[in-house]
């Protein structure tokens, strides 16, 4: 670890240079991924010196599917609790989760890991609760002695600009947090302050999309497919632009020529008509015949485009209807079957990210001085069930599980689709009251049954005893 300001600055400059090399090039690596996610794609191929009209069509052909890929997975990844083994309620570190508003901020870590392959959550001591902050993936860099180590050797966070325009950085090691600044005129990096964090490890928990070391994220392998889709759209736009107006032909006409001897084009034929969508060809020649060529068939272009999108969905392990939107009036069971591969992939991410969140919460417990929770390796995060399924079918299956398999009813609550930990705790309080079971049954019935909308005539008939 650096012991002097000069050593701290030299160490920080080394980390900054490595970070720039990994993320600063827009033509490769994380820099290219960030550029494509913003919609700044490489334009489809055009001949050198192509007219501005072609360039305009190439720019319009960019159809950015890539953000939807990671967004689909992020929508299915929500941590909903943290429990010790055999516990019915959340463990103490869950209070730190809520204090840091991680219900919303957890998506920063998930999206960063999926887009770029790695993201980090910083944990530091704080009052009244430890600080747990997911950091932007492109602004963070960490080094590991071994790729499988739980904690990094050191790390860097590019904070941004101060009100004076200085660029701010934070570096971390197992003992201290170093805050540095670089003047906006490009002057020397300097140490602002050094704070001991007292955690004994570099306070960055890593989130990765895969654990075998090749964690480039899910976007980088799809860039070539995105370019292929853009090429198909470009070809389609060219066909629509230049072939949507059917070309006409005429025969049996006397073609006029330039009759001005002083004109350099003297004697050259002159086009008898100006073809346009709002012009009509007329002649007094009885031998004239008019016709038009067949219009360009764009079905092949559209099929190529659809095939590219389906290939993109297959490689990303998404159901094609997520991108194409071509499934309508599906039952819950059919929709669940269509999303089976996506749900299996989400299950894999829950396992990988779950270990990282458990690591984060154990470190938060250590920062709060709770060594018991910090050493609890059995506690696990709970993930919200986001799988598409029929509420009525799920409740029916859970009811049979309680009746036929003697599973406690309270244990089945958390398996009801869409139920959160707050719902479960509220139901427990309702069950403790005198008429709690009646209220609980009514609450569950409202979740299981779709709302029925009755007509005024039917209501009137029911009121007077007639069937209307």
């Amino acid at each position: 670890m650096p012991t002097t300001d000069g050593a701290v600055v030299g160490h920080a400059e080394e980390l900054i240079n490595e970070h720039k090399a990994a993320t600063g090039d827009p033509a490769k690596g994380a820099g290219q991924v960030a550029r494509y996610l913003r919609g700044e794609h490489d334009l489809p191929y055009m001949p050198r010196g192509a007219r501005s009209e072609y360039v305009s069509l190439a720019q319009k052909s960019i159809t950015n599917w890539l953000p939807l890929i990671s967004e689909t997975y992020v929508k299915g990844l929500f941590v909903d609790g943290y429990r010790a083994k055999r516990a019915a309620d959340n463990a103490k570190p869950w209070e730190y989760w809520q204090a840091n508003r991680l219900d919303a901020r957890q998506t920063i870590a998930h999206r960063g890991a999926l887009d770029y392959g790695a993201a980090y959550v910083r944990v530091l001591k704080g009052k009244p609760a430890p600080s747990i902050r997911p950091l932007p993936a492109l602004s963070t860099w960490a080094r590991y002695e071994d790729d499988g180590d739980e904690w990094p050797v050191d790390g860097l966070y590019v904070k941004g600009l101060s009100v004076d325009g200085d660029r701010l950085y934070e570096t971390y090691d197992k003992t201290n947090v170093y805050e540095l600044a670089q003047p906006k005129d490009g002057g020397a990096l300097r140490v602002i302050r050094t704070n001991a964090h007292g955690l004994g490890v570099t306070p960055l928990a890593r989130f990765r999309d895969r654990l075998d070391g090749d964690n480039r994220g899910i976007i980088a392998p799809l860039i070539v497919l995105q370019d292929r889709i853009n090429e198909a759209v470009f070809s389609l736009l060219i066909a629509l632009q230049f072939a949507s107006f059917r070309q006409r032909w005429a025969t049996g006409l006397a073609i006029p020529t330039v009759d001005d001897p002083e004109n350099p084009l003297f004697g050259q034929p002159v086009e008898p008509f100006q073809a346009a969508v709002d012009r009509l060809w007329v002649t007094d020649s009885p031998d004239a015949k008019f016709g038009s060529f067949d219009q360009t068939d764009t079905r092949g272009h559209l099929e190529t485009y659809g095939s590219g999108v389906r290939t993109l969905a297959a490689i990303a392990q998404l159901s094609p209807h997520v991108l194409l939107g071509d499934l309508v009036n599906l039952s819950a069971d059919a929709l669940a079957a269509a999303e089976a591969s996506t749900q299996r992939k989400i299950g894999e991410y829950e396992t990988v990210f779950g270990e990282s969140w458990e690591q984060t919460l154990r470190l938060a417990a250590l920062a709060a001085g709770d060594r018991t929770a910090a050493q609890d390796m059995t506690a696990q995060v709970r993930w919200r069930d986001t799988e598409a399924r029929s509420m009525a079918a799920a409740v029916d299956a859970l009811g049979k599980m309680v009746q036929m398999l003697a599973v406690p009813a309270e244990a089945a609550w958390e398996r009801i689709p869409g139920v959160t930990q707050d719902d479960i705790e509220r139901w427990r309080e309702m069950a403790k009251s005198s008429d709690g079971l009646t209220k609980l049954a009514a609450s569950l019935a409202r979740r299981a049954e779709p709302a029925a909308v009755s007509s005024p005539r039917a209501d009137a008939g029911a009121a007077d005893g007639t069937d209307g």
Side-chain angles (χ1 to χ4, degrees):
M1 74 189 76
T3 57
T4 65
D5 283 358
V8 171
V9 169
H11 179 256
E13 289 176 342
E14 185 178 324
L15 286 169
I16 291 171
N17 291 334
E18 292 183 9
H19 174 258
K20 287 182 178 178
T23 64
D25 189 350
K28 65 180 181 180
Q32 183 188 33
V33 171
R35 178 168 61 87
Y36 265 72
L37 287 173
R38 293 193 301 266
E40 300 171 6
H41 299 189
D42 296 337
L43 294 180
Y45 170 77
M46 292 176 290
R48 185 177 303 175
R51 300 200 309 265
S52 59
E53 188 174 8
Y54 286 94
V55 176
S56 176
L57 290 176
Q59 293 170 343
K60 293 177 181 178
S61 70
I62 302 302
T63 309
N64 194 11
W65 290 103
L66 297 180
L68 183 58
I69 302 297
S70 57
E71 195 66 30
T72 300
Y73 287 119
V74 169
K75 290 176 181 177
L77 294 167
F78 283 95
V79 175
D80 211 22
Y82 179 70
R83 294 183 184 176
K85 187 177 182 180
R86 297 193 180 95
D89 298 319
N90 286 319
K92 180 68 175 180
W94 187 249
E95 297 180 8
Y96 315 146
W97 175 285
Q98 294 295 336
N100 286 275
R101 296 178 291 173
L102 289 176
D103 283 343
R105 293 179 175 177
Q106 62 180 299
T107 59
I108 299 174
H110 299 162
R111 187 176 289 107
L114 293 175
D115 286 345
Y116 303 105
Y120 298 88
V121 174
R122 184 194 64 194
V123 180
L124 295 172
K125 293 181 179 180
K127 295 293 183 180
S131 170
I132 307 174
R133 182 177 178 183
L135 302 178
L138 283 180
S139 300
T140 318
W141 181 253
R143 299 188 297 188
Y144 290 77
E145 186 172 316
D146 183 274
D147 191 63
D149 288 345
E150 186 176 20
W151 304 104
V153 175
D154 49 28
L156 167 74
Y157 171 42
V158 182
K159 297 181 65 174
L161 299 177
S162 70
V163 293
D164 298 327
D166 295 346
R167 184 163 294 280
L168 304 178
Y169 302 92
E170 280 184 357
T171 62
Y172 314 93
D173 59 26
K174 65 180 182 180
T175 57
N176 296 317
V177 178
Y178 306 96
E179 298 182 35
L180 304 97
Q182 186 172 31
K184 59 183 178 181
D185 59 4
L189 196 65
R190 69 181 189 277
V191 179
I192 301 176
R193 66 178 61 89
T194 301
N195 298 315
H197 55 67
L199 298 177
V201 295
T202 303
L204 296 175
R206 178 171 55 170
F207 289 69
R208 293 188 287 176
D209 67 314
R210 54 191 300 173
L211 302 181
D212 60 0
D214 187 24
N215 48 306
R216 296 189 300 154
I218 63 175
I219 301 299
L222 303 176
I223 288 178
V224 63
L225 294 174
Q226 175 66 70
D227 286 339
R228 188 190 304 175
I229 293 172
N230 293 341
E231 291 276 1
V233 176
F234 183 47
S235 299
L236 176 61
L237 290 180
I238 289 178
L240 294 175
Q241 179 76 6
F242 297 103
S244 58
F245 175 62
R246 300 173 65 173
Q247 296 298 312
R248 301 169 182 171
W249 55 262
T251 62
L253 298 175
I255 305 299
T257 60
V258 178
D259 56 4
D260 184 1
E262 298 182 359
N263 192 319
L265 300 179
F266 177 71
Q268 296 295 320
V270 177
E271 185 176 357
F273 303 107
Q274 291 184 359
V277 70
D278 59 347
R279 291 181 179 273
L280 183 66
W281 290 3
V282 179
T283 182
D284 57 2
S285 172
D287 299 325
K289 293 182 179 180
F290 297 99
S292 62
F293 296 103
D294 292 338
Q295 66 184 29
T296 301
D297 188 355
T298 60
R299 287 178 295 182
H301 297 82
L302 293 172
E303 178 57 32
T304 300
Y305 171 71
S307 175
V309 175
R310 286 189 290 272
T311 302
L312 179 70
I315 299 298
Q317 298 188 41
L318 291 179
S319 176
H321 82 272
V322 173
L323 303 183
L324 295 174
D326 54 359
L327 297 183
V328 293
N329 297 327
L330 287 182
S331 66
D333 291 338
L335 184 61
E339 295 182 349
S341 62
T342 304
Q343 289 299 326
R344 285 194 294 270
K345 194 64 177 178
I346 289 177
E348 178 186 345
Y349 290 139
E350 288 178 350
T351 301
V352 176
F353 293 162
E355 292 291 337
S356 296
W357 281 122
E358 291 158 16
Q359 175 188 353
T360 300
L361 291 173
R362 287 195 299 268
L363 185 61
L366 180 63
D370 187 352
R371 292 194 171 273
T372 300
Q375 296 172 358
D376 186 1
M377 305 299 292
T378 64
Q380 293 185 330
V381 296
R382 293 181 63 252
W383 293 91
R384 184 180 303 174
D385 185 0
T386 58
E387 184 175 357
R389 64 180 68 172
S390 167
M391 173 65 78
V395 172
D396 181 64
L398 293 173
K400 292 178 179 178
M401 184 173 69
V402 171
Q403 294 178 0
M404 301 173 64
L405 302 178
V407 176
E410 189 171 331
W413 293 352
E414 62 187 42
R415 296 183 177 273
I416 299 176
V419 169
T420 65
Q421 183 64 26
D422 290 339
D423 292 331
I424 295 174
E425 292 175 359
R426 180 168 55 88
W427 292 348
R428 286 177 182 154
E429 293 299 322
M430 293 170 63
K432 292 178 183 178
S433 61
S434 58
D435 58 342
L437 292 178
T438 303
K439 293 181 179 179
L440 180 60
S443 176
L444 292 174
R446 285 194 297 270
R447 284 185 170 272
E449 297 179 3
V453 181
S454 59
S455 66
R457 180 179 179 182
D459 291 341
D464 62 14
T466 66
D467 58 5

